[in-house]
Amino acid sequence: LTFRLKILGANSAAPAFNRNQTSQVLQAGSVNFLIDCGEGTQLRIAKSGVKINKIDHILISHLHGDHFFGLVGLLSTMHLFGRDKALNIYCPSPLQEIIDLQFKYSDTRLNFPVNYLFTDKTNDDLIFENKEITVNKFLLDHSIFCTGFLFREKPGKRKIIPGKIPAGLSIPDMLKLKEGLDITNDEGEVIYKNSEYTFSPKKPISYAYCSDTKYDESIIDIIQGVDLLYHEATFGNDMSDRATETFHSTAQQAAEIAKKANAGKLLIGHYSVRYRELAPLLEEARNIFPNSDLAIEGETYDLEIKTVDA
Amino acid sequence: LTFRLKILGANSAAPAFNRNQTSQVLQAGSVNFLIDCGEGTQLRIAKSGVKINKIDHILISHLHGDHFFGLVGLLSTMHLFGRDKALNIYCPSPLQEIIDLQFKYSDTRLNFPVNYLFTDKTNDDLIFENKEITVNKFLLDHSIFCTGFLFREKPGKRKIIPGKIPAGLSIPDMLKLKEGLDITNDEGEVIYKNSEYTFSPKKPISYAYCSDTKYDESIIDIIQGVDLLYHEATFGNDMSDRATETFHSTAQQAAEIAKKANAGKLLIGHYSVRYRELAPLLEEARNIFPNSDLAIEGETYDLEIKTVDA
């Protein structure tokens, strides 16, 4: 499995300096997740090479316009381009009312079903699962209800540690060990403890998305050890009061979260329109967490699969 | 006075071939009118060189998304960029509900007042007037309620025909003649009939905008003699059945309207996403009405002032 993240926009409230509002596509195996959908996202999906009707899941973190104003236009275009399969939208519940109202007055009936799956105030709960991955949403601390999303590859089959295959192990028991189960005898006693005979050949990959939030340590346990963390960094640290006031973070704060969560890599984004140059934000983050980068519209970030030797 | 029309988008339902959905700016003297506002219009206003907070009047023809999905984002950006003066929006009444709902859930209170001036089913009525111009709206024949807009320069002061100044004409009477009034004696009898002594030094300029409509001769009287007519031409004439079904026009039909209305010039637009090449639509229009052109995103069309000799 690979995770490929395409940044479609990483600016905050308004477009500026050729940077557009927030949107990303995460390609996780064969599934494309569209994460947030600022105005004009459909144009940037087209540029990215992702076919809009290959997107079956849209996740909206919250109802500030820079995260969803492009959704109604995207749905219209999916309709115009002949979509008939269902689309799943994970979002705060009022979004359905907003979309429905616009289609009511334009007398539009979409040719495809839209399943709205409303996010609620439960923290760190599963919202999507297939054979290969899970997606959890978790609560962020923003001025309105807002959630982040954590995408995790499921652990793969375990491998038997070379030289450790017990003599006379039956094929069914071998398969059980690979599934991660212990082998017991008829009395229910463990005769081969899984962890002593197997190892996981790879570390499952994971990606966490924190769209709009003030500095909030309560997310650290949830995203602990994530391979890639996208965390908003609307301001530089000289604006930390303004960040707190507006329920946003500074680049330094994003980096502190990445460090405390032992993230593999940090991408910052959601830049204020006040910043023409982003290098100072990056430098600020790298001072705390060296493996930081800027989320740049149009760029692709691949999550490497880490294989583990026994 | 000059009229300067900037095309911000001239495609129909979806963006395609680097063409975006409908929007225009008409600069009429010192007033900027934004006419329709498809998704991403704010980006194209910025490109056009028009300052968004120099737009005080927005006219929305109807509530199909390709004509208004960019409005809520534009209002958000006007707010972010510090607007405090009132904005007037001329539109079908449900648009206010659509905009208000989005700002309600994003907990946004705009820093500036928005005056909604709802269009209704009255035909050819005045919706805007200042010293120099008038704007009338008129009804179009589309699948949902839709209006066109007619922008007209007011007639300027009249001039006395050289050699015709009556001997002994007083200054106050001279000014009356220039205002277009007849001069009467104390008994109320006309002694100098205005039309015999004066002429209009120029033909007032005018621009008519017909966003989405099927072929409809009822507009011809209203737009008669207009200098520049923008008329939708969603399809070519081979698709005339489809045009009728969807309440749209073909390029040939747009040209027939221009011809019957004795327009000075025709601009066609609102191209279907099926057309990569627009030249066949233009050729079709020119076969009927030679002074036809394509509305091209990013281009500017100046309306010439015609001076008239006595």
Side-chain angles (χ1 to χ4, degrees), chain A residues 25-89:
Chain A
V25 170
L26 181 72
Q27 302 185 295
S30 62
V31 184
N32 294 310
F33 295 94
L34 181 70
I35 310 167
D36 282 340
C37 188
E39 185 176 355
T41 289
Q42 60 173 308
L43 290 173
R44 290 178 287 283
I45 295 173
K47 261 195 191 171
S48 78
V50 175
K51 300 277 178 221
I52 64 166
N53 278 330
K54 300 263 170 166
I55 293 170
D56 296 334
H57 304 278
I58 300 178
L59 297 82
I60 302 292
S61 64
H62 69 300
L63 296 186
H64 280 149
D66 50 331
H67 295 259
F68 83 90
F69 282 166
L71 181 62
V72 66
L74 176 62
L75 299 183
S76 302
T77 299
M78 285 176 161
H79 168 79
L80 189 75
F81 288 179
R83 183 185 187 102
D84 53 13
K85 65 181 166 166
L87 178 72
N88 299 307
I89 303 180

Coordinates of all heavy atoms in Angstrom, one line a residue, chain A residues 25-89:
Chain A
V25 N -5.9 15.9 -1.7 CA -6.3 14.5 -2.1 C -5.3 13.6 -1.4 O -4.1 13.7 -1.6 CB -6.4 14.3 -3.6 CG1 -6.6 12.8 -3.9 CG2 -7.5 15.1 -4.2
L26 N -5.8 12.6 -0.7 CA -5.0 11.5 -0.2 C -5.4 10.3 -1.0 O -6.5 9.8 -0.9 CB -5.2 11.3 1.3 CG -4.3 10.1 1.8 CD1 -2.8 10.6 1.9 CD2 -4.7 9.6 3.2
Q27 N -4.4 9.7 -1.7 CA -4.6 8.5 -2.4 C -4.1 7.4 -1.5 O -2.9 7.3 -1.3 CB -3.9 8.5 -3.7 CG -4.4 9.6 -4.6 CD -3.8 9.6 -6.0 OE1 -2.6 9.8 -6.2 NE2 -4.7 9.5 -7.0
A28 N -5.0 6.6 -0.9 CA -4.6 5.5 0.0 C -4.9 4.2 -0.7 O -6.1 3.8 -0.7 CB -5.3 5.7 1.3
G29 N -3.9 3.5 -1.3 CA -4.2 2.4 -2.0 C -5.1 2.8 -3.2 O -4.7 3.8 -3.9
S30 N -6.2 2.2 -3.4 CA -7.1 2.5 -4.5 C -8.1 3.6 -4.2 O -9.0 3.9 -5.0 CB -7.8 1.2 -5.0 OG -8.6 0.7 -4.0
V31 N -8.1 4.1 -3.0 CA -9.2 5.0 -2.6 C -8.6 6.4 -2.6 O -7.6 6.7 -2.0 CB -9.7 4.6 -1.1 CG1 -10.8 5.5 -0.8 CG2 -10.1 3.2 -1.1
N32 N -9.4 7.3 -3.2 CA -9.1 8.7 -3.2 C -9.9 9.5 -2.2 O -11.2 9.5 -2.3 CB -9.3 9.4 -4.6 CG -8.4 8.8 -5.6 OD1 -7.2 8.8 -5.4 ND2 -9.0 8.4 -6.7
F33 N -9.3 10.1 -1.2 CA -10.1 10.9 -0.2 C -9.8 12.4 -0.6 O -8.6 12.8 -0.7 CB -9.6 10.7 1.2 CG -9.8 9.3 1.7 CD1 -8.9 8.3 1.6 CD2 -11.0 8.9 2.3 CE1 -9.1 7.0 2.1 CE2 -11.3 7.7 2.8 CZ -10.3 6.7 2.7
L34 N -10.9 13.1 -0.8 CA -10.7 14.6 -0.9 C -10.9 15.1 0.5 O -12.0 14.9 1.1 CB -11.7 15.1 -1.9 CG -11.6 16.7 -2.1 CD1 -10.4 17.0 -2.8 CD2 -12.9 17.2 -2.8
I35 N -9.9 15.9 1.0 CA -10.0 16.4 2.3 C -10.1 17.9 2.3 O -9.2 18.6 1.8 CB -8.7 16.1 3.1 CG1 -8.4 14.6 3.0 CG2 -8.8 16.5 4.6 CD1 -7.0 14.2 3.4
D36 N -11.2 18.4 2.7 CA -11.6 19.8 2.6 C -11.7 20.3 1.1 O -11.2 19.6 0.2 CB -10.7 20.8 3.4 CG -11.1 20.7 4.9 OD1 -12.3 20.3 5.2 OD2 -10.3 21.1 5.8
C37 N -12.4 21.4 0.9 CA -12.7 21.7 -0.5 C -13.0 23.2 -0.7 O -14.2 23.6 -0.8 CB -14.0 20.8 -0.9 SG -14.4 20.9 -2.6
G38 N -12.0 24.0 -0.6 CA -12.1 25.4 -0.7 C -12.6 25.8 -2.1 O -12.6 24.9 -3.1
E39 N -13.0 27.0 -2.3 CA -13.5 27.5 -3.6 C -12.5 27.2 -4.7 O -11.3 27.4 -4.6 CB -13.8 29.0 -3.6 CG -14.4 29.5 -4.9 CD -14.8 31.0 -4.8 OE1 -14.6 31.6 -3.7 OE2 -15.2 31.5 -5.8
G40 N -13.1 26.6 -5.8 CA -12.2 26.4 -7.0 C -11.4 25.1 -6.9 O -10.6 24.8 -7.8
T41 N -11.7 24.3 -5.9 CA -11.0 23.0 -5.8 C -11.2 22.1 -7.0 O -10.2 21.5 -7.4 CB -11.5 22.2 -4.5 OG1 -11.1 22.9 -3.4 CG2 -11.0 20.8 -4.5
Q42 N -12.3 22.2 -7.7 CA -12.5 21.3 -8.9 C -11.5 21.6 -9.9 O -11.0 20.7 -10.6 CB -13.9 21.4 -9.4 CG -14.4 22.8 -9.9 CD -15.7 22.7 -10.6 OE1 -15.9 21.9 -11.5 NE2 -16.6 23.5 -10.1
L43 N -11.1 22.9 -10.1 CA -10.0 23.2 -11.1 C -8.7 22.6 -10.7 O -7.9 22.1 -11.6 CB -9.8 24.7 -11.1 CG -11.0 25.5 -11.7 CD1 -10.7 27.0 -11.5 CD2 -11.1 25.2 -13.2
R44 N -8.4 22.6 -9.4 CA -7.1 22.1 -9.0 C -7.1 20.5 -8.9 O -6.0 19.9 -9.1 CB -6.7 22.7 -7.7 CG -6.4 24.2 -7.9 CD -6.0 25.0 -6.7 NE -7.2 25.3 -5.9 CZ -8.1 26.2 -6.1 NH1 -8.0 27.0 -7.1 NH2 -9.1 26.4 -5.2
I45 N -8.3 19.9 -8.8 CA -8.3 18.4 -8.9 C -8.0 18.1 -10.4 O -7.1 17.2 -10.6 CB -9.7 17.9 -8.6 CG1 -10.0 18.1 -7.1 CG2 -9.8 16.4 -8.9 CD1 -11.5 17.8 -6.7
A46 N -8.6 18.8 -11.3 CA -8.3 18.6 -12.7 C -6.8 18.7 -13.0 O -6.3 17.8 -13.7 CB -9.2 19.5 -13.6
K47 N -6.2 19.7 -12.5 CA -4.8 19.9 -12.7 C -3.9 18.8 -12.1 O -2.9 18.5 -12.6 CB -4.3 21.2 -12.0 CG -4.2 22.4 -12.9 CD -3.4 23.5 -12.1 CE -3.5 24.8 -12.8 NZ -2.9 25.9 -11.9
S48 N -4.4 18.2 -11.0 CA -3.6 17.2 -10.2 C -3.6 15.9 -10.9 O -2.8 15.0 -10.6 CB -4.2 17.0 -8.9 OG -5.4 16.2 -8.9
G49 N -4.4 15.7 -11.9 CA -4.5 14.4 -12.6 C -5.4 13.4 -12.0 O -5.6 12.4 -12.6
V50 N -6.0 13.8 -10.9 CA -7.0 12.9 -10.3 C -8.4 13.1 -11.0 O -8.8 14.3 -11.3 CB -7.2 13.2 -8.8 CG1 -8.3 12.4 -8.2 CG2 -5.9 13.0 -8.1
K51 N -9.0 12.0 -11.4 CA -10.3 12.2 -12.1 C -11.4 12.5 -11.0 O -11.5 11.7 -10.1 CB -10.7 10.9 -12.8 CG -9.7 10.5 -13.9 CD -10.0 11.2 -15.2 CE -8.9 10.8 -16.3 NZ -8.5 12.0 -17.1
I52 N -12.2 13.5 -11.3 CA -13.1 13.8 -10.2 C -14.1 12.7 -9.9 O -14.5 12.5 -8.7 CB -13.9 15.1 -10.4 CG1 -14.8 15.1 -11.6 CG2 -13.0 16.3 -10.5 CD1 -15.8 16.2 -11.6
N53 N -14.4 11.9 -10.8 CA -15.4 10.9 -10.5 C -14.7 9.6 -10.0 O -15.4 8.6 -9.8 CB -16.3 10.6 -11.7 CG -17.5 11.7 -11.6 OD1 -17.8 12.1 -10.5 ND2 -18.0 12.0 -12.8
K54 N -13.4 9.7 -9.7 CA -12.7 8.6 -9.0 C -12.6 9.0 -7.5 O -12.0 8.2 -6.7 CB -11.3 8.4 -9.6 CG -11.3 8.0 -11.0 CD -11.1 6.5 -11.2 CE -11.4 6.1 -12.7 NZ -11.0 4.8 -13.0
I55 N -13.2 10.1 -7.2 CA -13.3 10.4 -5.7 C -14.6 10.0 -5.2 O -15.7 10.4 -5.7 CB -13.1 12.0 -5.6 CG1 -11.7 12.4 -6.0 CG2 -13.4 12.4 -4.1 CD1 -11.5 13.9 -6.1
D56 N -14.6 9.1 -4.2 CA -15.8 8.6 -3.7 C -16.0 9.0 -2.2 O -17.1 8.7 -1.6 CB -15.8 7.0 -3.7 CG -15.8 6.5 -5.2 OD1 -16.3 7.3 -6.1 OD2 -15.4 5.4 -5.4
H57 N -15.0 9.7 -1.6 CA -15.1 10.0 -0.2 C -14.6 11.5 -0.1 O -13.5 11.7 -0.5 CB -14.3 9.1 0.6 CG -14.7 7.7 0.5 ND1 -15.8 7.1 1.2 CD2 -14.2 6.7 -0.3 CE1 -15.9 5.8 0.8 NE2 -15.0 5.5 -0.1
I58 N -15.4 12.3 0.5 CA -15.0 13.7 0.7 C -15.2 14.0 2.2 O -16.2 13.7 2.8 CB -15.9 14.7 -0.1 CG1 -15.7 14.4 -1.6 CG2 -15.5 16.1 0.3 CD1 -16.6 15.3 -2.5
L59 N -14.1 14.5 2.8 CA -14.1 14.7 4.3 C -14.0 16.3 4.5 O -13.1 16.9 3.9 CB -12.9 14.1 5.0 CG -12.9 12.5 4.9 CD1 -12.3 12.0 3.6 CD2 -12.1 11.9 6.1
I60 N -14.9 16.8 5.2 CA -14.9 18.3 5.4 C -14.7 18.5 6.9 O -15.5 18.0 7.8 CB -16.2 18.9 5.0 CG1 -16.5 18.7 3.5 CG2 -16.2 20.4 5.3 CD1 -15.6 19.3 2.5
S61 N -13.6 19.2 7.3 CA -13.2 19.3 8.7 C -14.2 20.3 9.4 O -14.5 20.0 10.6 CB -11.8 19.9 8.8 OG -11.7 21.2 8.2
H62 N -14.6 21.3 8.8 CA -15.5 22.3 9.5 C -16.1 23.3 8.5 O -15.7 23.3 7.3 CB -14.7 23.0 10.6 CG -13.6 24.0 10.1 ND1 -12.6 23.6 9.3 CD2 -13.5 25.3 10.3 CE1 -11.8 24.7 9.1 NE2 -12.3 25.7 9.7
L63 N -17.0 24.1 9.0 CA -17.8 24.9 8.0 C -17.3 26.4 7.9 O -18.2 27.3 7.7 CB -19.3 24.8 8.4 CG -19.9 23.4 8.3 CD1 -21.4 23.4 8.5 CD2 -19.6 22.8 6.9
H64 N -16.1 26.6 8.0 CA -15.6 27.9 7.5 C -15.4 27.8 6.0 O -15.0 26.7 5.5 CB -14.2 28.3 8.2 CG -14.4 28.8 9.5 ND1 -13.5 28.7 10.6 CD2 -15.4 29.5 10.1 CE1 -14.0 29.3 11.6 NE2 -15.1 29.8 11.4
G65 N -15.8 28.9 5.3 CA -15.9 28.8 3.8 C -14.6 28.4 3.1 O -14.7 27.7 2.1
D66 N -13.5 28.7 3.6 CA -12.2 28.3 2.9 C -12.0 26.8 2.9 O -11.1 26.3 2.3 CB -11.0 29.1 3.5 CG -10.9 29.0 5.0 OD1 -11.9 28.9 5.7 OD2 -9.7 29.0 5.6
H67 N -12.9 26.1 3.6 CA -12.8 24.6 3.7 C -13.9 23.9 2.9 O -13.9 22.7 2.8 CB -12.7 24.1 5.1 CG -11.4 24.6 5.8 ND1 -10.3 23.8 6.0 CD2 -11.1 25.9 6.2 CE1 -9.4 24.5 6.5 NE2 -9.8 25.8 6.7
F68 N -14.9 24.7 2.5 CA -16.0 24.0 1.8 C -16.7 24.7 0.7 O -17.6 24.1 0.0 CB -17.1 23.5 2.8 CG -18.1 24.5 3.2 CD1 -19.3 24.7 2.5 CD2 -17.9 25.4 4.3 CE1 -20.2 25.7 2.9 CE2 -18.8 26.4 4.6 CZ -20.0 26.5 3.9
F69 N -16.4 26.0 0.4 CA -17.1 26.7 -0.6 C -17.0 26.1 -2.0 O -17.8 26.4 -2.9 CB -16.7 28.2 -0.7 CG -17.2 29.1 0.4 CD1 -16.7 30.3 0.6 CD2 -18.3 28.7 1.2 CE1 -17.2 31.2 1.6 CE2 -18.8 29.5 2.2 CZ -18.3 30.7 2.4
G70 N -16.0 25.2 -2.2 CA -15.9 24.6 -3.5 C -16.7 23.3 -3.7 O -16.8 22.7 -4.8
L71 N -17.4 22.9 -2.6 CA -18.1 21.6 -2.7 C -19.3 21.6 -3.6 O -19.4 20.7 -4.4 CB -18.5 21.1 -1.3 CG -19.1 19.8 -1.2 CD1 -18.2 18.7 -1.7 CD2 -19.6 19.5 0.2
V72 N -20.1 22.6 -3.5 CA -21.3 22.6 -4.3 C -21.0 22.6 -5.8 O -21.7 21.9 -6.6 CB -22.3 23.7 -3.8 CG1 -21.7 25.1 -4.1 CG2 -23.7 23.6 -4.5
G73 N -20.0 23.3 -6.2 CA -19.6 23.4 -7.6 C -19.0 22.0 -8.0 O -19.3 21.6 -9.1
L74 N -18.3 21.4 -7.1 CA -17.7 20.1 -7.4 C -18.8 19.0 -7.6 O -18.8 18.3 -8.6 CB -16.8 19.6 -6.3 CG -16.2 18.2 -6.5 CD1 -15.3 18.1 -7.7 CD2 -15.3 17.9 -5.2
L75 N -19.8 19.1 -6.8 CA -20.9 18.1 -6.9 C -21.7 18.4 -8.3 O -22.0 17.4 -9.0 CB -21.9 18.3 -5.8 CG -21.4 18.0 -4.4 CD1 -22.5 18.1 -3.3 CD2 -20.8 16.6 -4.3
S76 N -21.8 19.7 -8.6 CA -22.5 20.0 -9.9 C -21.7 19.4 -11.1 O -22.3 18.9 -12.0 CB -22.6 21.5 -10.0 OG -23.3 22.1 -8.9
T77 N -20.4 19.6 -11.0 CA -19.6 19.1 -12.1 C -19.6 17.6 -12.2 O -19.6 17.0 -13.2 CB -18.2 19.7 -12.0 OG1 -18.3 21.1 -12.1 CG2 -17.3 19.2 -13.1
M78 N -19.5 16.9 -11.0 CA -19.6 15.4 -11.0 C -20.9 15.0 -11.7 O -20.9 14.0 -12.5 CB -19.6 14.9 -9.5 CG -18.3 15.0 -8.9 SD -18.4 14.5 -7.1 CE -16.7 14.1 -6.7
H79 N -22.0 15.7 -11.4 CA -23.3 15.4 -12.0 C -23.2 15.6 -13.5 O -23.6 14.8 -14.3 CB -24.3 16.4 -11.4 CG -25.6 16.4 -12.0 ND1 -26.6 15.5 -11.8 CD2 -26.2 17.4 -12.8 CE1 -27.7 15.8 -12.5 NE2 -27.5 16.9 -13.1
L80 N -22.7 16.8 -13.9 CA -22.6 17.1 -15.4 C -21.8 16.1 -16.1 O -22.1 15.8 -17.3 CB -22.0 18.5 -15.5 CG -22.0 19.1 -16.9 CD1 -23.4 19.6 -17.3 CD2 -21.1 20.3 -17.0
F81 N -20.8 15.6 -15.4 CA -19.9 14.6 -16.1 C -20.3 13.2 -16.0 O -19.6 12.2 -16.1 CB -18.4 14.8 -15.6 CG -17.7 16.1 -16.1 CD1 -16.4 16.4 -15.7 CD2 -18.4 16.9 -16.9 CE1 -15.8 17.6 -16.2 CE2 -17.8 18.1 -17.4 CZ -16.5 18.4 -17.0
G82 N -21.6 13.0 -15.6 CA -22.2 11.7 -15.7 C -22.1 10.8 -14.5 O -22.3 9.6 -14.7
R83 N -21.7 11.3 -13.4 CA -21.5 10.4 -12.3 C -22.8 9.7 -11.9 O -23.9 10.3 -12.0 CB -21.0 11.1 -11.1 CG -20.8 10.3 -9.8 CD -20.4 11.1 -8.6 NE -20.0 10.1 -7.5 CZ -18.8 9.9 -7.2 NH1 -17.8 10.6 -7.8 NH2 -18.5 9.0 -6.3
D84 N -22.8 8.4 -11.6 CA -24.0 7.8 -11.1 C -23.7 7.0 -9.8 O -24.7 6.7 -9.1 CB -24.7 6.9 -12.2 CG -23.7 5.9 -12.7 OD1 -22.6 5.7 -12.2 OD2 -24.0 5.2 -13.8
K85 N -22.5 6.7 -9.5 CA -22.2 6.0 -8.2 C -22.3 6.9 -7.0 O -22.1 8.2 -7.1 CB -20.9 5.3 -8.3 CG -19.7 6.2 -8.4 CD -18.4 5.4 -8.5 CE -17.3 6.4 -9.0 NZ -16.0 5.8 -8.8
A86 N -22.5 6.3 -5.9 CA -22.7 7.1 -4.7 C -21.4 7.8 -4.3 O -20.3 7.4 -4.5 CB -23.2 6.2 -3.5
L87 N -21.7 8.9 -3.6 CA -20.6 9.7 -3.0 C -20.8 9.8 -1.5 O -21.9 10.1 -1.1 CB -20.6 11.1 -3.7 CG -19.5 12.1 -3.2 CD1 -18.1 11.7 -3.7 CD2 -19.9 13.5 -3.6
N88 N -19.8 9.6 -0.8 CA -19.8 9.7 0.7 C -19.2 11.0 1.2 O -18.1 11.3 0.8 CB -19.1 8.5 1.4 CG -19.8 7.2 1.0 OD1 -21.0 7.0 1.1 ND2 -19.0 6.3 0.4
I89 N -20.0 11.8 1.9 CA -19.4 13.0 2.5 C -19.5 13.0 4.0 O -20.5 12.8 4.6 CB -20.2 14.3 2.0 CG1 -20.2 14.3 0.4 CG2 -19.6 15.6 2.5 CD1 -20.9 15.5 -0.2

